[in-house]
Amino acid sequence: MSNVLEIKNKEDFVEKVINADKPVLVDFWAEWCGPCKQLAPLIESAAEENSEKMSMCKMDVDANRETAAEYGIRSIPTLMIFNKGELVGTEIGALTKVQLDEFIRSKV
């Protein structure tokens, strides 16, 4: 079973991200995106390693165009970290494991 939660719609986003009691990393992705697929196992690994201090979610931008537009997603993959409902960090593009770990460490 995956440690990365899937966000299905706007209400789901509010519940799992905005109202979360700990920081949340959201991976904005799409099925057709090659770099998104490369990043997925790293997100999965980071979710296992950081499960105590934060949650990890993924949101398909094609299925959630309104939320993606609301957060200005123009390029994917885009990773955003939210804490207490506020956006605290953004990374755009595929990251290495080291870059992903540093991004998480710098914001959580």
Side-chain angles (χ1 to χ4, degrees), residues 13 17 23-28 54 71 73 78-92 95 100 102-108:
F13 184 85
V17 179
V24 182
L25 182 144
V26 181
D27 173 16
F28 291 90
M54 73 183 307
Y71 287 95
I73 307 301
T78 293
L79 303 179
M80 292 184 166
I81 296 179
F82 293 81
N83 193 356
K84 296 182 175 76
E86 287 194 36
L87 177 61
V88 296
T90 303
E91 282 286 340
I92 299 171
L95 304 179
L100 177 60
E102 180 55 36
F103 176 52
I104 290 169
R105 230 184 348 268
S106 73
K107 302 299 176 193
V108 177

Side-chain angles (χ1 to χ4, degrees), residues 13-84:
F13 184 85
V14 170
E15 180 186 328
K16 291 177 180 164
V17 179
I18 303 302
N19 295 336
D21 56 358
K22 58 185 177 181
V24 182
L25 182 144
V26 181
D27 173 16
F28 291 90
W29 73 289
E31 188 63 43
W32 49 263
C33 170
C36 298
K37 290 181 180 182
Q38 291 176 329
L39 190 58
L42 300 180
I43 301 275
E44 192 68 49
S45 172
E48 284 178 41
E49 294 166 10
N50 296 286
S51 62
E52 296 296 312
K53 60 183 176 187
M54 73 183 307
S55 301
M56 306 266 177
C57 298
K58 63 182 191 171
M59 180 175 229
D60 184 333
V61 296
D62 289 336
N64 296 281
R65 293 180 191 278
E66 186 182 320
T67 303
E70 187 177 324
Y71 287 95
I73 307 301
R74 290 186 180 82
S75 179
I76 55 172
T78 293
L79 303 179
M80 292 184 166
I81 296 179
F82 293 81
N83 193 356
K84 296 182 175 76

